[in-house]
Amino acid sequence: MAVWGARMPAVQQAADLSTAGLALVLLAAAVGMVIGLHVGGRLAAPAREPLLLTSGAVGLAAALAVIGVCRTPLTLALGAFVFGIAHGVLDVALNAAAVRCQDRLGRFIMSSLHAAYSLGALGGAGLAALNAHTSHTWLFAVTGLAVATAGVAMAPVARTLGMLEPTTPAISRRSPDPKDSPGLPRARLWLLGALAAACLLGEGAAADWAAVHLHSLDASTAVSASAFALYSASMVAGRLAGDRLIAHFGAPMVVRIGAVLAAAGLTAGLALATVPAALAGWAALGLGLSVTIPSLITAAGRGGPGAVATVSVTGYAGLLAGPALIGALATLTALPHALLLPALLAAAVAALSRKALENPTP
């Protein structure tokens, strides 16, 4: 994912895409991902998870390699569409399997698993940067081959996931609630999805607007580019520590305190309007929201793969729509005012997280 995103300018140039054409390609990937999430949610029964994990990884790798040789807008859009489908299927299968592994182990691991994703994003972006003068076609092909090889090599391990026993009552820390069977109450499910959308809107804002915000404060190009890297590094740090904090204090408290930190930190960074304060504000946003998505996915796991897919789809809607919404608000007011939206949504997460996450698993 990071290699694809970091080399987007080369993809655009190779296919001679306008900005509008690139937007359509990204829309194709987003539509494919939503379809993949729905399909994955319907298929991700425990017995089928190994197949979805392996096929999703191989499909994602193959689609990346194909995108590397696409030279027309139509073929690129089709490749991006398949890439999105594979991403969505793999996302649901991974999270559904992770919830069952977490329950089976009897300890919190979801935050650490999401930290691995963040580390992969940093590593992929670094790989793309180191190979900036290499043809993206070769980079996509080599990366795809490596990912596909790893996916096939891990297939025997993936098959063991299908043999895991269901949640063991002895390690479940939630009290039984007849309303939660066979799935989550609809109101709880949509609340989880709304909080996921609020959190991922902040991530989209950091990815697309953090550097622009720093540049508006007359920061250098290098310092502006470091804003998202600092956000990402803070998120990794928070996720690596998140499982221990959740085990000790509980997910509702950790998520609530983190969301308060995110809201207060970003608001202060915007209000002070200095480069150091802005960098600290984006770092606070990443650290504060780091455990939110893992905790929401864990809570959604009580309703099975379908609930995980629903929360993921709703969350990604925030990720996809957030940057455009902030851009629209910035044209009506000013960028610092528009960037208060992620801070306000973080405050909403703080206010509603207890209701959404009470009696979480495992």
Side-chain angles (χ1 to χ4, degrees), residues 150-334:
V152 172
M154 292 301 292
V157 178
R159 282 196 292 270
T160 66
L161 297 176
M163 297 182 286
L164 287 177
E165 296 294 328
T167 304
T168 306
I171 64 172
S172 178
R173 299 180 185 178
R174 64 179 183 268
S175 56
D177 186 344
K179 294 185 297 180
D180 292 346
S181 180
L184 289 172
R186 185 173 296 274
R188 175 78 64 83
L189 182 61
W190 287 111
L191 177 58
L192 290 170
L195 295 183
C199 180
L200 288 178
L201 185 147
E203 185 167 334
D208 289 1
W209 290 104
V212 178
H213 176 224
L214 267 294
H215 184 70
S216 71
L217 298 175
D218 297 323
S220 66
T221 301
V223 172
S224 297
S226 70
F228 182 64
L230 188 59
Y231 167 90
S232 300
S234 299
M235 180 161 282
V236 170
R239 286 178 170 175
L240 288 174
D243 290 323
R244 292 188 295 274
L245 293 173
I246 289 172
H248 189 71
F249 297 105
M253 179 178 291
V254 175
V255 169
R256 185 166 64 253
I257 292 175
V260 169
L261 171 64
L266 182 58
T267 300
L270 294 170
L272 293 175
T274 65
V275 171
L279 289 172
W282 288 111
L285 184 71
L287 181 63
L289 296 181
S290 59
V291 298
T292 304
I293 291 297
S295 299
L296 294 173
I297 293 295
T298 294
R302 298 175 64 188
V308 171
T310 298
V311 171
S312 297
V313 169
T314 311
Y316 278 117
L319 180 66
L320 296 171
L325 179 58
I326 289 173
L329 291 174
T331 61
L332 295 175
T333 56

Side-chain angles (χ1 to χ4, degrees), residues 17 26 41 59-60 72 81 112 116 136 149 167 186 227 229 236 238 293 333-334 348 362:
L17 289 174
L26 296 177
L60 193 70
T72 66
F81 179 71
S112 296
H136 77 281
T149 301
T167 304
R186 185 173 296 274
V236 170
I293 291 297
T333 56

Side-chain angles (χ1 to χ4, degrees), residues 337-352:
H337 297 155
L339 289 173
L340 284 173
L341 178 60
L344 292 172
L345 291 176
V349 170
L352 298 172

Side-chain angles (χ1 to χ4, degrees), residues 82 91 106 123 133 195 203 280 299:
V82 175
D91 187 276
H133 300 294
L195 295 183
E203 185 167 334

